[in-house]
Amino acid sequence: MKKKGSILIILDLEGMAIKNFLYMLSEYQGIEKYELILSYQKNEKSYFKDIIGQCLGNQEILFYETEDISNRGKVYNFASELAHTDILIFLDTSIALREHCLDEMVYSLIEEDVLAVQPMIIRFGSPFVQSTGYVFSESCTGHALKNRNMEETIVNQSFERSALVSSILAINRFAFEELKGFNEMLPCEYMGKEITMRITKRGYKNFYNHRARAYYMAKDRGGNEYENGVDVKYKTQEESIDKEFHEIEELFQRQIDKNQLSKNYVVINFSGIVQAIEVMRKINVKVSRIINCFGYSQYHAIQFEKVLPFYLTEERCDYIYFTDNFCQIKNNYVWFKRRQQYEDLIVDLSGNVLKASEICQSF
């Protein structure tokens, strides 16, 4: 039977974590239609062979043994040479597939005239989105629509993306070989972004397929591409292309309505962007004043009572709170409650636009 694609996996977990990953992989309906290529360190061969036998049974598997799996780009590049199909699917052990995920990604590669595809990635045990690909502003890179509910309309639309993650990435094999694979000099958390940026730079397309879905399970060790959702740049020769992409503005425009565009806003800027007013200008949002609160962009939670004068809750104007991600400010219940009569917005570097009143109502 001709296989739909080749799934490449680096076995970098142990104990129950790797058993659960392989068990969930074996439970994916139609997994037998895909070629499996598993990589591991030679000194762990007997350990993994036993677990693979328990979890994957009679599944036909190709193995790539190596002395060291720490350079993931290098391991993937060599392992890909074992593939017998035209589609390579890189799958991290932090990912659990949902039904039809692989088939949807393969369909997009064949039918959508694109060279690389990623699914909607959802945090395991929650309904919240981890990534729909990368979104670019002039100086920062974030995970598009991060922390939105998986049922919201905005995440249930497929888009072209300038860059994708590598934790679950389907890519045309011939394009992968033409690009000479992953950049082996980069840490693993930058690999997907960098290779798919090169695809975009050459005039081809990457794609986020919202119908394909997978869960992300955080790892206890090692770097991952979700730890820092914003400004995950790495200094390479491709760095300069970031400023050519302005997808964040396109995402904002999809969510801001005509009524909001007619207003004048005071922008309270907590984000890592110094020229926030320029971003507002490009999406035709009118700004009467900007309050810059620098130094808070990387805070997990920003408490307004420790940062802003409380009299601002009484000002007769509409605010835009500009953050790296809206979750940083969602716990300011008293502030948002006092502002309910106004139409304040929250805008972030993941491309999210939300009404502050809706954040208050979620408590």
Side-chain angles (χ1 to χ4, degrees), residues 81-282:
E81 295 176 5
L82 301 178
H84 296 96
T85 73
D86 297 337
I87 293 175
L88 304 176
I89 302 170
F90 299 96
L91 181 63
D92 193 86
T93 53
S94 65
I95 297 295
L97 302 170
R98 288 187 56 169
E99 188 177 10
H100 306 308
C101 180
L102 299 178
D103 298 339
E104 282 287 351
M105 294 170 70
V106 168
Y107 175 85
S108 291
L109 281 178
I110 295 172
E111 301 294 338
E112 301 287 355
D113 190 30
V114 297
L115 293 186
V117 182
Q118 81 156 74
M120 180 193 300
I121 301 174
I122 306 155
R123 290 203 298 276
F124 196 81
S126 86
F128 300 112
V129 169
Q130 189 71 32
S131 178
T132 64
Y134 286 107
V135 62
F136 292 80
S137 59
E138 287 199 10
S139 61
C140 294
T141 310
H143 287 284
L145 305 173
K146 184 177 180 180
N147 289 320
R148 298 297 285 268
N149 190 292
M150 60 186 281
E151 302 302 333
E152 290 189 63
T153 300
I154 188 63
V155 298
N156 284 287
Q157 302 173 46
S158 296
F159 300 104
E160 289 180 23
R161 290 277 189 258
S162 293
L164 307 173
V165 302
S166 63
S167 56
I168 175 166
L169 175 67
I171 187 167
N172 178 289
R173 181 180 182 175
F174 302 107
F176 186 79
E177 292 175 349
E178 182 182 338
L179 293 165
K180 295 181 171 55
F182 290 113
N183 185 333
E184 297 176 10
M185 303 299 293
L186 294 182
C188 63
E189 55 265 37
Y190 299 102
M191 296 189 318
K193 176 187 172 185
E194 193 270 344
I195 194 171
T196 50
M197 284 169 69
R198 282 190 276 144
I199 287 174
T200 300
K201 185 67 174 177
R202 294 189 180 203
Y204 300 110
K205 298 175 183 177
N206 305 304
F207 196 64
Y208 156 64
N209 183 338
H210 76 275
R211 294 180 300 275
R213 297 186 175 194
Y215 287 117
Y216 166 70
M217 304 174 289
K219 290 183 177 179
D220 294 329
R221 65 183 184 183
N224 73 73
E225 53 200 331
Y226 306 115
E227 287 179 350
N228 183 7
V230 173
D231 199 22
V232 291
K233 290 186 176 182
Y234 196 82
K235 298 295 182 181
T236 73
Q237 61 181 354
E238 302 296 332
E239 180 78 0
S240 61
I241 77 170
D242 283 31
K243 291 187 178 181
E244 297 179 13
F245 306 146
H246 302 288
E247 292 166 318
I248 197 166
E249 291 146 19
E250 178 186 344
L251 273 179
F252 287 158
Q253 289 169 340
R254 286 175 178 266
Q255 298 168 82
I256 295 176
D257 61 36
K258 290 182 180 179
N259 177 58
Q260 292 161 342
L261 290 175
S262 69
K263 296 177 177 294
N264 273 295
Y265 289 94
V266 173
V267 174
I268 302 177
N269 180 31
F270 295 106
S271 79
I273 290 185
V274 175
Q275 296 296 328
I277 195 167
E278 286 299 308
V279 177
M280 298 296 110
R281 181 182 62 79
K282 288 178 180 178

Side-chain angles (χ1 to χ4, degrees), residues 327-344:
C327 283
Q328 294 172 292
I329 65 171
K330 68 178 183 178
N331 292 326
N332 290 287
Y333 175 79
V334 173
W335 182 286
F336 292 135
K337 191 72 173 176
R338 290 170 64 91
R339 295 283 307 167
Q340 274 193 304
Q341 63 181 305
Y342 301 99
E343 296 184 27
D344 296 352

Side-chain angles (χ1 to χ4, degrees), residues 252 256 263-271 273-281 283 285-294 304 308 312 315 317-323 335 339 344-348:
F252 287 158
I256 295 176
K263 296 177 177 294
N264 273 295
Y265 289 94
V266 173
V267 174
I268 302 177
N269 180 31
F270 295 106
S271 79
I273 290 185
V274 175
Q275 296 296 328
I277 195 167
E278 286 299 308
V279 177
M280 298 296 110
R281 181 182 62 79
I283 58 174
V285 169
K286 301 181 182 69
V287 177
S288 60
R289 182 161 57 108
I290 187 162
I291 302 170
N292 286 310
C293 300
F294 296 133
F304 284 1
L308 300 173
L312 291 180
E315 286 206 1
C317 64
D318 296 304
Y319 291 130
I320 288 179
Y321 308 94
F322 196 2
T323 68
W335 182 286
R339 295 283 307 167
D344 296 352
L345 297 177
I346 301 172
V347 172
D348 70 25

